[in-house]
Amino acid sequence: MTEAAMESGGNPVLVSASAPPQALLERLKDYGQEDVFALWDELSPDEKDLLVKDIENIDLPRIDRIIRCSFHSQGLPAAAIEPVPESCVSTVEERTMEEREKWWKMGMKAMAEGKFAVLLLSGGQGTRLGSSDPKGCFNIGLPSGKSLFQLQAERILCIQRLAAVTANEGAGIVPIQWYIMTSPFTDEATRKYFESHKYFGLEAEQVTFFQQGTIPCVSKDGRFIMETPYRVAKSPDGNGGVYTALKYSRLLEDMNSRGIKYVDCYGVDNALVRVADPTFLGYFIDKGVSAAAKVVRKAYPQEKVGVFVRRGKGGPLAVVEYSELDPSLCSAVNQETGRLRFCWSNVCLHMFSLDFLNQVANGLEKDSIYHLAEKKIPSIHGHTMGYKLEQFIFDAFPYTPSTALFEVVREEEFAPVKNANGANFDTPDSARLLVLRLHTRWVVAAGGFLTHSVPLYATGVEVSPLCSYAGENLEAICRGRTFHAPCEISF
């Protein structure tokens, strides 16, 4: 394209537009990505600046390595899978009361000594819920009107107080550090939400926000897709991007400097998540493993959940997505236990040692293998089919020398909020009912009574996390009292 300047006589003179920066163009050619400058001559000076800055912010050698390694790994056969050995799993029915109490105390002690942190994966927007806000801001319709973020913050407040009482012998409350991973789409809104709600009673200093990375979207031949003539299409690098993000934001060093040894990691969209569960932490410490995961039994063979497997004979535990599991294996039953052979569902509730997080952050970065998700990508040619590159939180498990699985009861700890009301499952309505039913059982067990004007299966009571973490200490509030459902029970 040419740009017009004016001669002194008023006639326009055509001058050639500036060419793309030569050094940058040569670097792009090295990686076969020079097409990003295809529309250079049609851009305004400001748009040219934006394009150059956009390209300069991409770590080309790293992204090229990721694209090549990920494309190459697609065709490789995966190792054969075996069921998870029974010795790796703590099942609900095998757990004794003595073990539960021992683990609870061990977990509380580690918390009171400041050795424990919580890591929240919160990069997603509530788009599927009909909201452009961060998913954690979503109100699932409980009597209190609390958002997912507030419920989780109050569980941390509760467990801090319990840890001080249980294990700290009057030394006061030790704040649990809460690291919250956002994305470029949710970061500012998440920070503002916490600030405007005064961190829901937590100290601002114990909450740290950091962003997951983004990766250019690519065509089927590995070239960058242009979202606009002056911007490369990018997408978040998946919840497994947390490992790289922790490394590049130097938060692993921050954790180390604080004396943190154990990190509880979970996804934001679970209304029943037991954030900072001392029993799970104590189990993790007692087992001496590098990584652990809470699991629930598959509800039925065809349930669309990823399951834990062993990769290869004597190999590491890994997660296989439901779409990758052979239908005959889905239905296979272990004759000794009566359970499905592949029954342990991954529900994104994990515990890691800090040493392991360091190892994974370096290992995943070196291997550079991402999952290719084929999607319609908004581009200058309309929506075009291409790939988003993502890592998943469970990609870490093959790096661990030792993993333990901890079965939990689905109705007590897993109420996913993924789809808008009206869908068949995992909606705000279904999650709300799971919370109300569990808390109703707590209240009745503590000697309380309920009245209700709608059928009990459609209602219940909500217990504030500030009153009780998992149903404990409710007798003084509930015994002999009658509550009219739906309502919130708080101090």
Side-chain angles (χ1 to χ4, degrees), residues 90 95-111 116 159 264 274-287 292 294 351 406-408 413 469-470 472:
S90 166
R95 220 169 286 151
T96 65
M97 190 56 74
E98 291 75 27
E99 281 179 322
R100 289 168 198 251
E101 287 179 7
K102 177 178 79 170
W103 292 333
W104 174 272
K105 285 177 181 165
M106 287 175 78
M108 287 296 197
K109 184 171 185 290
M111 288 181 194
F116 172 77
I159 210 70
D264 177 24
R274 286 194 186 172
V275 188
D277 179 359
T279 307
F280 185 37
L281 173 57
Y283 168 75
F284 179 77
I285 295 168
D286 193 34
K287 284 288 176 188
K294 285 185 173 181
M351 192 77 70
F406 187 82
E407 185 194 2
V408 296
E413 298 199 36
Y469 179 78
E472 75 293 327

mmCIF file of all heavy atoms in Angstrom, residues 90 95-111 116 159 264 274-287 292 294 351 406-408 413 469-470 472:
data_model
loop_
_atom_site.group_PDB
_atom_site.id
_atom_site.type_symbol
_atom_site.label_atom_id
_atom_site.label_comp_id
_atom_site.label_asym_id
_atom_site.label_seq_id
_atom_site.Cartn_x
_atom_site.Cartn_y
_atom_site.Cartn_z
ATOM 1 N N SER A 90 -7.424 -45.147 49.030
ATOM 2 C CA SER A 90 -8.097 -45.224 50.324
ATOM 3 C C SER A 90 -9.600 -45.128 50.054
ATOM 4 O O SER A 90 -10.094 -44.067 49.673
ATOM 5 C CB SER A 90 -7.666 -44.073 51.234
ATOM 6 O OG SER A 90 -8.535 -43.967 52.349
ATOM 7 N N ARG A 95 -11.812 -47.020 55.452
ATOM 8 C CA ARG A 95 -11.230 -45.989 56.319
ATOM 9 C C ARG A 95 -11.766 -46.126 57.741
ATOM 10 O O ARG A 95 -12.980 -46.091 57.938
ATOM 11 C CB ARG A 95 -11.611 -44.617 55.757
ATOM 12 C CG ARG A 95 -10.512 -43.597 55.807
ATOM 13 C CD ARG A 95 -10.887 -42.367 54.982
ATOM 14 N NE ARG A 95 -10.796 -42.617 53.554
ATOM 15 C CZ ARG A 95 -11.518 -42.016 52.629
ATOM 16 N NH1 ARG A 95 -12.406 -41.119 52.979
ATOM 17 N NH2 ARG A 95 -11.366 -42.306 51.368
ATOM 18 N N THR A 96 -10.899 -46.268 58.711
ATOM 19 C CA THR A 96 -11.366 -46.402 60.093
ATOM 20 C C THR A 96 -11.509 -45.023 60.740
ATOM 21 O O THR A 96 -10.914 -44.039 60.278
ATOM 22 C CB THR A 96 -10.381 -47.231 60.928
ATOM 23 O OG1 THR A 96 -9.139 -46.504 61.011
ATOM 24 C CG2 THR A 96 -10.126 -48.597 60.297
ATOM 25 N N MET A 97 -12.260 -44.965 61.820
ATOM 26 C CA MET A 97 -12.414 -43.713 62.565
ATOM 27 C C MET A 97 -11.060 -43.252 63.119
ATOM 28 O O MET A 97 -10.762 -42.062 63.149
ATOM 29 C CB MET A 97 -13.424 -43.909 63.701
ATOM 30 C CG MET A 97 -13.845 -42.616 64.375
ATOM 31 S SD MET A 97 -14.536 -41.401 63.221
ATOM 32 C CE MET A 97 -16.141 -42.130 62.911
ATOM 33 N N GLU A 98 -10.233 -44.227 63.532
ATOM 34 C CA GLU A 98 -8.904 -43.873 64.072
ATOM 35 C C GLU A 98 -8.061 -43.190 63.000
ATOM 36 O O GLU A 98 -7.371 -42.191 63.269
ATOM 37 C CB GLU A 98 -8.171 -45.132 64.571
ATOM 38 C CG GLU A 98 -8.753 -45.776 65.815
ATOM 39 C CD GLU A 98 -10.039 -46.558 65.543
ATOM 40 O OE1 GLU A 98 -10.221 -47.036 64.389
ATOM 41 O OE2 GLU A 98 -10.861 -46.671 66.473
ATOM 42 N N GLU A 99 -8.120 -43.734 61.770
ATOM 43 C CA GLU A 99 -7.355 -43.117 60.669
ATOM 44 C C GLU A 99 -7.852 -41.711 60.387
ATOM 45 O O GLU A 99 -7.051 -40.783 60.218
ATOM 46 C CB GLU A 99 -7.483 -43.975 59.400
ATOM 47 C CG GLU A 99 -6.583 -45.184 59.391
ATOM 48 C CD GLU A 99 -6.777 -46.009 58.132
ATOM 49 O OE1 GLU A 99 -7.923 -46.142 57.642
ATOM 50 O OE2 GLU A 99 -5.761 -46.518 57.621
ATOM 51 N N ARG A 100 -9.172 -41.554 60.316
ATOM 52 C CA ARG A 100 -9.735 -40.223 60.032
ATOM 53 C C ARG A 100 -9.271 -39.211 61.070
ATOM 54 O O ARG A 100 -8.878 -38.098 60.731
ATOM 55 C CB ARG A 100 -11.265 -40.272 60.049
ATOM 56 C CG ARG A 100 -11.908 -40.995 58.889
ATOM 57 C CD ARG A 100 -13.385 -41.200 59.209
ATOM 58 N NE ARG A 100 -13.977 -42.225 58.364
ATOM 59 C CZ ARG A 100 -14.851 -41.985 57.391
ATOM 60 N NH1 ARG A 100 -15.237 -40.760 57.157
ATOM 61 N NH2 ARG A 100 -15.341 -42.957 56.674
ATOM 62 N N GLU A 101 -9.325 -39.604 62.349
ATOM 63 C CA GLU A 101 -8.925 -38.674 63.411
ATOM 64 C C GLU A 101 -7.432 -38.372 63.333
ATOM 65 O O GLU A 101 -7.009 -37.228 63.522
ATOM 66 C CB GLU A 101 -9.290 -39.266 64.781
ATOM 67 C CG GLU A 101 -10.790 -39.223 65.051
ATOM 68 C CD GLU A 101 -11.158 -39.831 66.398
ATOM 69 O OE1 GLU A 101 -10.245 -40.161 67.187
ATOM 70 O OE2 GLU A 101 -12.377 -39.978 66.650
ATOM 71 N N LYS A 102 -6.626 -39.397 63.053
ATOM 72 C CA LYS A 102 -5.179 -39.191 62.933
ATOM 73 C C LYS A 102 -4.875 -38.222 61.790
ATOM 74 O O LYS A 102 -4.095 -37.271 61.948
ATOM 75 C CB LYS A 102 -4.482 -40.543 62.677
ATOM 76 C CG LYS A 102 -2.972 -40.422 62.462
ATOM 77 C CD LYS A 102 -2.315 -41.764 62.251
ATOM 78 C CE LYS A 102 -2.499 -42.287 60.844
ATOM 79 N NZ LYS A 102 -1.669 -43.470 60.545
ATOM 80 N N TRP A 103 -5.511 -38.442 60.634
ATOM 81 C CA TRP A 103 -5.246 -37.588 59.472
ATOM 82 C C TRP A 103 -5.722 -36.159 59.713
ATOM 83 O O TRP A 103 -5.065 -35.196 59.340
ATOM 84 C CB TRP A 103 -5.908 -38.177 58.221
ATOM 85 C CG TRP A 103 -5.267 -39.457 57.778
ATOM 86 C CD1 TRP A 103 -3.976 -39.854 57.994
ATOM 87 C CD2 TRP A 103 -5.893 -40.525 57.039
ATOM 88 N NE1 TRP A 103 -3.754 -41.100 57.450
ATOM 89 C CE2 TRP A 103 -4.904 -41.532 56.846
ATOM 90 C CE3 TRP A 103 -7.169 -40.725 56.526
ATOM 91 C CZ2 TRP A 103 -5.163 -42.718 56.158
ATOM 92 C CZ3 TRP A 103 -7.435 -41.903 55.842
ATOM 93 C CH2 TRP A 103 -6.443 -42.891 55.660
ATOM 94 N N TRP A 104 -6.892 -36.020 60.343
ATOM 95 C CA TRP A 104 -7.429 -34.684 60.654
ATOM 96 C C TRP A 104 -6.425 -33.913 61.509
ATOM 97 O O TRP A 104 -6.098 -32.751 61.230
ATOM 98 C CB TRP A 104 -8.784 -34.845 61.363
ATOM 99 C CG TRP A 104 -9.421 -33.586 61.876
ATOM 100 C CD1 TRP A 104 -9.227 -33.008 63.092
ATOM 101 C CD2 TRP A 104 -10.363 -32.740 61.189
ATOM 102 N NE1 TRP A 104 -9.987 -31.876 63.222
ATOM 103 C CE2 TRP A 104 -10.698 -31.686 62.069
ATOM 104 C CE3 TRP A 104 -10.961 -32.781 59.935
ATOM 105 C CZ2 TRP A 104 -11.604 -30.670 61.731
ATOM 106 C CZ3 TRP A 104 -11.866 -31.777 59.605
ATOM 107 C CH2 TRP A 104 -12.183 -30.734 60.481
ATOM 108 N N LYS A 105 -5.893 -34.578 62.549
ATOM 109 C CA LYS A 105 -4.937 -33.906 63.449
ATOM 110 C C LYS A 105 -3.629 -33.578 62.741
ATOM 111 O O LYS A 105 -3.046 -32.513 62.948
ATOM 112 C CB LYS A 105 -4.684 -34.790 64.687
ATOM 113 C CG LYS A 105 -5.850 -34.780 65.675
ATOM 114 C CD LYS A 105 -5.598 -35.721 66.836
ATOM 115 C CE LYS A 105 -6.803 -35.711 67.786
ATOM 116 N NZ LYS A 105 -6.766 -36.859 68.713
ATOM 117 N N MET A 106 -3.153 -34.511 61.908
ATOM 118 C CA MET A 106 -1.906 -34.251 61.161
ATOM 119 C C MET A 106 -2.069 -33.061 60.228
ATOM 120 O O MET A 106 -1.186 -32.201 60.117
ATOM 121 C CB MET A 106 -1.508 -35.488 60.336
ATOM 122 C CG MET A 106 -0.958 -36.632 61.154
ATOM 123 S SD MET A 106 -0.659 -38.111 60.137
ATOM 124 C CE MET A 106 0.875 -37.673 59.350
ATOM 125 N N GLY A 107 -3.224 -33.016 59.541
ATOM 126 C CA GLY A 107 -3.491 -31.901 58.631
ATOM 127 C C GLY A 107 -3.575 -30.580 59.368
ATOM 128 O O GLY A 107 -3.004 -29.567 58.943
ATOM 129 N N MET A 108 -4.291 -30.576 60.484
ATOM 130 C CA MET A 108 -4.433 -29.359 61.288
ATOM 131 C C MET A 108 -3.072 -28.855 61.775
ATOM 132 O O MET A 108 -2.800 -27.653 61.784
ATOM 133 C CB MET A 108 -5.340 -29.629 62.492
ATOM 134 C CG MET A 108 -6.800 -29.760 62.132
ATOM 135 S SD MET A 108 -7.441 -28.207 61.470
ATOM 136 C CE MET A 108 -9.188 -28.468 61.637
ATOM 137 N N LYS A 109 -2.224 -29.789 62.195
ATOM 138 C CA LYS A 109 -0.891 -29.418 62.692
ATOM 139 C C LYS A 109 -0.080 -28.734 61.588
ATOM 140 O O LYS A 109 0.543 -27.686 61.801
ATOM 141 C CB LYS A 109 -0.172 -30.669 63.199
ATOM 142 C CG LYS A 109 1.197 -30.404 63.833
ATOM 143 C CD LYS A 109 1.723 -31.670 64.500
ATOM 144 C CE LYS A 109 3.014 -31.417 65.255
ATOM 145 N NZ LYS A 109 4.165 -31.145 64.380
ATOM 146 N N ALA A 110 -0.109 -29.325 60.375
ATOM 147 C CA ALA A 110 0.644 -28.726 59.254
ATOM 148 C C ALA A 110 0.120 -27.331 58.920
ATOM 149 O O ALA A 110 0.888 -26.417 58.603
ATOM 150 C CB ALA A 110 0.562 -29.640 58.029
ATOM 151 N N MET A 111 -1.221 -27.162 58.994
ATOM 152 C CA MET A 111 -1.810 -25.845 58.733
ATOM 153 C C MET A 111 -1.385 -24.833 59.788
ATOM 154 O O MET A 111 -1.017 -23.696 59.486
ATOM 155 C CB MET A 111 -3.332 -25.943 58.702
ATOM 156 C CG MET A 111 -3.880 -26.646 57.472
ATOM 157 S SD MET A 111 -5.689 -26.678 57.523
ATOM 158 C CE MET A 111 -6.011 -27.894 56.249
ATOM 159 N N PHE A 116 1.187 -25.043 54.641
ATOM 160 C CA PHE A 116 0.145 -25.449 53.702
ATOM 161 C C PHE A 116 -0.429 -24.240 52.979
ATOM 162 O O PHE A 116 -0.609 -23.172 53.569
ATOM 163 C CB PHE A 116 -0.955 -26.152 54.503
ATOM 164 C CG PHE A 116 -2.201 -26.471 53.733
ATOM 165 C CD1 PHE A 116 -2.236 -27.544 52.867
ATOM 166 C CD2 PHE A 116 -3.341 -25.699 53.879
ATOM 167 C CE1 PHE A 116 -3.393 -27.852 52.167
ATOM 168 C CE2 PHE A 116 -4.498 -25.989 53.187
ATOM 169 C CZ PHE A 116 -4.523 -27.074 52.324
ATOM 170 N N ILE A 159 -11.535 -23.046 58.547
ATOM 171 C CA ILE A 159 -10.505 -24.053 58.841
ATOM 172 C C ILE A 159 -9.303 -23.408 59.519
ATOM 173 O O ILE A 159 -8.639 -24.025 60.355
ATOM 174 C CB ILE A 159 -10.118 -24.838 57.555
ATOM 175 C CG1 ILE A 159 -9.691 -26.268 57.933
ATOM 176 C CG2 ILE A 159 -9.028 -24.162 56.755
ATOM 177 C CD1 ILE A 159 -10.796 -27.139 58.417
ATOM 178 N N ASP A 264 -2.841 -27.561 48.175
ATOM 179 C CA ASP A 264 -4.150 -28.103 47.828
ATOM 180 C C ASP A 264 -4.639 -27.371 46.579
ATOM 181 O O ASP A 264 -4.710 -26.153 46.567
ATOM 182 C CB ASP A 264 -5.096 -27.850 49.014
ATOM 183 C CG ASP A 264 -6.519 -28.309 48.762
ATOM 184 O OD1 ASP A 264 -6.714 -29.193 47.915
ATOM 185 O OD2 ASP A 264 -7.436 -27.782 49.419
ATOM 186 N N ARG A 274 -14.354 -29.033 49.509
ATOM 187 C CA ARG A 274 -13.802 -28.852 50.853
ATOM 188 C C ARG A 274 -12.415 -28.231 50.692
ATOM 189 O O ARG A 274 -11.406 -28.937 50.643
ATOM 190 C CB ARG A 274 -13.731 -30.175 51.599
ATOM 191 C CG ARG A 274 -15.093 -30.643 52.062
ATOM 192 C CD ARG A 274 -15.005 -31.772 53.079
ATOM 193 N NE ARG A 274 -16.349 -32.265 53.359
ATOM 194 C CZ ARG A 274 -16.608 -33.344 54.082
ATOM 195 N NH1 ARG A 274 -15.616 -34.048 54.594
ATOM 196 N NH2 ARG A 274 -17.858 -33.719 54.307
ATOM 197 N N VAL A 275 -12.398 -26.929 50.600
ATOM 198 C CA VAL A 275 -11.124 -26.212 50.443
ATOM 199 C C VAL A 275 -10.295 -26.452 51.696
ATOM 200 O O VAL A 275 -10.812 -26.355 52.808
ATOM 201 C CB VAL A 275 -11.378 -24.698 50.277
ATOM 202 C CG1 VAL A 275 -10.082 -23.980 49.922
ATOM 203 C CG2 VAL A 275 -12.431 -24.433 49.229
ATOM 204 N N ALA A 276 -9.017 -26.774 51.525
ATOM 205 C CA ALA A 276 -8.112 -26.952 52.661
ATOM 206 C C ALA A 276 -8.611 -28.050 53.608
ATOM 207 O O ALA A 276 -8.718 -27.845 54.818
ATOM 208 C CB ALA A 276 -7.940 -25.628 53.422
ATOM 209 N N ASP A 277 -8.890 -29.208 53.060
ATOM 210 C CA ASP A 277 -9.419 -30.318 53.852
ATOM 211 C C ASP A 277 -8.300 -30.941 54.687
ATOM 212 O O ASP A 277 -7.372 -31.547 54.150
ATOM 213 C CB ASP A 277 -10.012 -31.369 52.900
ATOM 214 C CG ASP A 277 -10.563 -32.579 53.625
ATOM 215 O OD1 ASP A 277 -10.474 -32.634 54.866
ATOM 216 O OD2 ASP A 277 -11.088 -33.480 52.942
ATOM 217 N N PRO A 278 -8.366 -30.818 56.025
ATOM 218 C CA PRO A 278 -7.270 -31.335 56.858
ATOM 219 C C PRO A 278 -7.133 -32.851 56.797
ATOM 220 O O PRO A 278 -6.019 -33.378 56.900
ATOM 221 C CB PRO A 278 -7.636 -30.872 58.274
ATOM 222 C CG PRO A 278 -9.036 -30.411 58.222
ATOM 223 C CD PRO A 278 -9.391 -30.120 56.808
ATOM 224 N N THR A 279 -8.247 -33.579 56.597
ATOM 225 C CA THR A 279 -8.171 -35.041 56.528
ATOM 226 C C THR A 279 -7.393 -35.471 55.285
ATOM 227 O O THR A 279 -6.525 -36.360 55.343
ATOM 228 C CB THR A 279 -9.589 -35.660 56.498
ATOM 229 O OG1 THR A 279 -10.334 -35.150 57.593
ATOM 230 C CG2 THR A 279 -9.528 -37.168 56.570
ATOM 231 N N PHE A 280 -7.678 -34.833 54.160
ATOM 232 C CA PHE A 280 -6.961 -35.139 52.904
ATOM 233 C C PHE A 280 -5.485 -34.777 53.043
ATOM 234 O O PHE A 280 -4.603 -35.535 52.615
ATOM 235 C CB PHE A 280 -7.624 -34.369 51.766
ATOM 236 C CG PHE A 280 -7.092 -34.667 50.383
ATOM 237 C CD1 PHE A 280 -6.697 -35.946 50.021
ATOM 238 C CD2 PHE A 280 -7.004 -33.650 49.429
ATOM 239 C CE1 PHE A 280 -6.227 -36.218 48.736
ATOM 240 C CE2 PHE A 280 -6.536 -33.906 48.147
ATOM 241 C CZ PHE A 280 -6.143 -35.189 47.803
ATOM 242 N N LEU A 281 -5.198 -33.643 53.672
ATOM 243 C CA LEU A 281 -3.807 -33.222 53.870
ATOM 244 C C LEU A 281 -3.076 -34.222 54.767
ATOM 245 O O LEU A 281 -1.944 -34.627 54.461
ATOM 246 C CB LEU A 281 -3.769 -31.817 54.477
ATOM 247 C CG LEU A 281 -2.389 -31.291 54.896
ATOM 248 C CD1 LEU A 281 -1.410 -31.302 53.720
ATOM 249 C CD2 LEU A 281 -2.511 -29.877 55.485
ATOM 250 N N GLY A 282 -3.723 -34.634 55.855
ATOM 251 C CA GLY A 282 -3.096 -35.602 56.751
ATOM 252 C C GLY A 282 -2.838 -36.930 56.066
ATOM 253 O O GLY A 282 -1.782 -37.552 56.249
ATOM 254 N N TYR A 283 -3.794 -37.384 55.241
ATOM 255 C CA TYR A 283 -3.623 -38.620 54.458
ATOM 256 C C TYR A 283 -2.407 -38.489 53.539
ATOM 257 O O TYR A 283 -1.568 -39.397 53.443
ATOM 258 C CB TYR A 283 -4.888 -38.868 53.643
ATOM 259 C CG TYR A 283 -4.776 -39.927 52.567
ATOM 260 C CD1 TYR A 283 -4.755 -41.284 52.888
ATOM 261 C CD2 TYR A 283 -4.691 -39.560 51.220
ATOM 262 C CE1 TYR A 283 -4.653 -42.260 51.906
ATOM 263 C CE2 TYR A 283 -4.595 -40.529 50.226
ATOM 264 C CZ TYR A 283 -4.573 -41.871 50.568
ATOM 265 O OH TYR A 283 -4.469 -42.821 49.588
ATOM 266 N N PHE A 284 -2.304 -37.342 52.878
ATOM 267 C CA PHE A 284 -1.204 -37.068 51.950
ATOM 268 C C PHE A 284 0.147 -37.137 52.679
ATOM 269 O O PHE A 284 1.101 -37.774 52.218
ATOM 270 C CB PHE A 284 -1.419 -35.680 51.339
ATOM 271 C CG PHE A 284 -0.353 -35.236 50.382
ATOM 272 C CD1 PHE A 284 -0.304 -35.728 49.093
ATOM 273 C CD2 PHE A 284 0.609 -34.312 50.769
ATOM 274 C CE1 PHE A 284 0.677 -35.317 48.204
ATOM 275 C CE2 PHE A 284 1.597 -33.888 49.889
ATOM 276 C CZ PHE A 284 1.635 -34.398 48.602
ATOM 277 N N ILE A 285 0.219 -36.481 53.840
ATOM 278 C CA ILE A 285 1.466 -36.469 54.616
ATOM 279 C C ILE A 285 1.794 -37.884 55.099
ATOM 280 O O ILE A 285 2.939 -38.341 55.019
ATOM 281 C CB ILE A 285 1.347 -35.502 55.810
ATOM 282 C CG1 ILE A 285 1.191 -34.050 55.320
ATOM 283 C CG2 ILE A 285 2.559 -35.611 56.732
ATOM 284 C CD1 ILE A 285 0.790 -33.057 56.405
ATOM 285 N N ASP A 286 0.784 -38.587 55.588
ATOM 286 C CA ASP A 286 0.970 -39.930 56.133
ATOM 287 C C ASP A 286 1.471 -40.904 55.067
ATOM 288 O O ASP A 286 2.330 -41.744 55.324
ATOM 289 C CB ASP A 286 -0.367 -40.421 56.708
ATOM 290 C CG ASP A 286 -0.207 -41.667 57.575
ATOM 291 O OD1 ASP A 286 0.838 -41.792 58.246
ATOM 292 O OD2 ASP A 286 -1.129 -42.500 57.589
ATOM 293 N N LYS A 287 0.956 -40.774 53.842
ATOM 294 C CA LYS A 287 1.354 -41.667 52.745
ATOM 295 C C LYS A 287 2.758 -41.340 52.230
ATOM 296 O O LYS A 287 3.399 -42.176 51.584
ATOM 297 C CB LYS A 287 0.356 -41.564 51.584
ATOM 298 C CG LYS A 287 -0.949 -42.284 51.839
ATOM 299 C CD LYS A 287 -0.733 -43.778 51.785
ATOM 300 C CE LYS A 287 -2.006 -44.531 52.131
ATOM 301 N NZ LYS A 287 -1.763 -45.963 52.272
ATOM 302 N N ALA A 292 -1.499 -36.452 45.178
ATOM 303 C CA ALA A 292 -2.685 -37.234 45.534
ATOM 304 C C ALA A 292 -3.893 -36.582 44.878
ATOM 305 O O ALA A 292 -3.863 -35.404 44.518
ATOM 306 C CB ALA A 292 -2.867 -37.304 47.050
ATOM 307 N N LYS A 294 -8.366 -36.585 45.122
ATOM 308 C CA LYS A 294 -9.650 -37.102 45.582
ATOM 309 C C LYS A 294 -10.372 -37.683 44.369
ATOM 310 O O LYS A 294 -10.295 -37.116 43.271
ATOM 311 C CB LYS A 294 -10.490 -35.987 46.202
ATOM 312 C CG LYS A 294 -10.014 -35.563 47.585
ATOM 313 C CD LYS A 294 -10.969 -34.546 48.194
ATOM 314 C CE LYS A 294 -10.598 -34.244 49.641
ATOM 315 N NZ LYS A 294 -11.526 -33.273 50.266
ATOM 316 N N MET A 351 -3.707 -32.742 45.675
ATOM 317 C CA MET A 351 -2.734 -32.294 46.670
ATOM 318 C C MET A 351 -1.344 -32.566 46.119
ATOM 319 O O MET A 351 -1.097 -33.658 45.593
ATOM 320 C CB MET A 351 -2.935 -33.051 47.991
ATOM 321 C CG MET A 351 -2.176 -32.484 49.170
ATOM 322 S SD MET A 351 -2.938 -30.983 49.865
ATOM 323 C CE MET A 351 -4.419 -31.660 50.614
ATOM 324 N N PHE A 406 -7.741 -40.831 47.035
ATOM 325 C CA PHE A 406 -8.524 -40.737 48.267
ATOM 326 C C PHE A 406 -9.987 -40.630 47.878
ATOM 327 O O PHE A 406 -10.426 -39.601 47.353
ATOM 328 C CB PHE A 406 -8.060 -39.488 49.036
ATOM 329 C CG PHE A 406 -8.644 -39.319 50.407
ATOM 330 C CD1 PHE A 406 -8.105 -39.990 51.491
ATOM 331 C CD2 PHE A 406 -9.704 -38.449 50.628
ATOM 332 C CE1 PHE A 406 -8.616 -39.809 52.771
ATOM 333 C CE2 PHE A 406 -10.232 -38.258 51.896
ATOM 334 C CZ PHE A 406 -9.680 -38.941 52.974
ATOM 335 N N GLU A 407 -10.740 -41.718 48.082
ATOM 336 C CA GLU A 407 -12.144 -41.695 47.676
ATOM 337 C C GLU A 407 -12.961 -40.793 48.589
ATOM 338 O O GLU A 407 -12.798 -40.825 49.821
ATOM 339 C CB GLU A 407 -12.741 -43.107 47.713
ATOM 340 C CG GLU A 407 -14.166 -43.115 47.167
ATOM 341 C CD GLU A 407 -14.948 -44.386 47.459
ATOM 342 O OE1 GLU A 407 -14.416 -45.294 48.139
ATOM 343 O OE2 GLU A 407 -16.104 -44.468 47.003
ATOM 344 N N VAL A 408 -13.837 -39.989 47.997
ATOM 345 C CA VAL A 408 -14.781 -39.185 48.774
ATOM 346 C C VAL A 408 -16.196 -39.507 48.290
ATOM 347 O O VAL A 408 -16.390 -40.042 47.201
ATOM 348 C CB VAL A 408 -14.504 -37.664 48.648
ATOM 349 C CG1 VAL A 408 -13.148 -37.318 49.232
ATOM 350 C CG2 VAL A 408 -14.594 -37.182 47.200
ATOM 351 N N GLU A 413 -19.004 -33.917 48.496
ATOM 352 C CA GLU A 413 -17.877 -33.073 48.085
ATOM 353 C C GLU A 413 -17.863 -32.673 46.614
ATOM 354 O O GLU A 413 -16.931 -32.016 46.169
ATOM 355 C CB GLU A 413 -16.548 -33.786 48.415
ATOM 356 C CG GLU A 413 -16.361 -34.037 49.886
ATOM 357 C CD GLU A 413 -14.920 -34.312 50.258
ATOM 358 O OE1 GLU A 413 -14.010 -33.698 49.664
ATOM 359 O OE2 GLU A 413 -14.694 -35.149 51.153
ATOM 360 N N TYR A 469 -17.424 -26.419 59.106
ATOM 361 C CA TYR A 469 -16.673 -26.773 57.899
ATOM 362 C C TYR A 469 -17.258 -28.018 57.241
ATOM 363 O O TYR A 469 -17.466 -28.054 56.033
ATOM 364 C CB TYR A 469 -15.206 -27.013 58.270
ATOM 365 C CG TYR A 469 -14.332 -27.404 57.105
ATOM 366 C CD1 TYR A 469 -13.870 -26.448 56.202
ATOM 367 C CD2 TYR A 469 -13.967 -28.731 56.897
ATOM 368 C CE1 TYR A 469 -13.072 -26.808 55.121
ATOM 369 C CE2 TYR A 469 -13.168 -29.099 55.824
ATOM 370 C CZ TYR A 469 -12.724 -28.131 54.943
ATOM 371 O OH TYR A 469 -11.946 -28.488 53.864
ATOM 372 N N ALA A 470 -17.526 -29.052 58.062
ATOM 373 C CA ALA A 470 -18.016 -30.321 57.494
ATOM 374 C C ALA A 470 -19.058 -30.967 58.393
ATOM 375 O O ALA A 470 -19.099 -32.182 58.538
ATOM 376 C CB ALA A 470 -16.847 -31.268 57.253
ATOM 377 N N GLU A 472 -19.382 -30.313 61.712
ATOM 378 C CA GLU A 472 -18.991 -30.361 63.129
ATOM 379 C C GLU A 472 -19.505 -29.109 63.877
ATOM 380 O O GLU A 472 -19.817 -28.090 63.273
ATOM 381 C CB GLU A 472 -17.452 -30.468 63.255
ATOM 382 C CG GLU A 472 -16.659 -29.196 62.984
ATOM 383 C CD GLU A 472 -16.712 -28.720 61.557
ATOM 384 O OE1 GLU A 472 -16.793 -29.546 60.632
ATOM 385 O OE2 GLU A 472 -16.675 -27.480 61.349
#
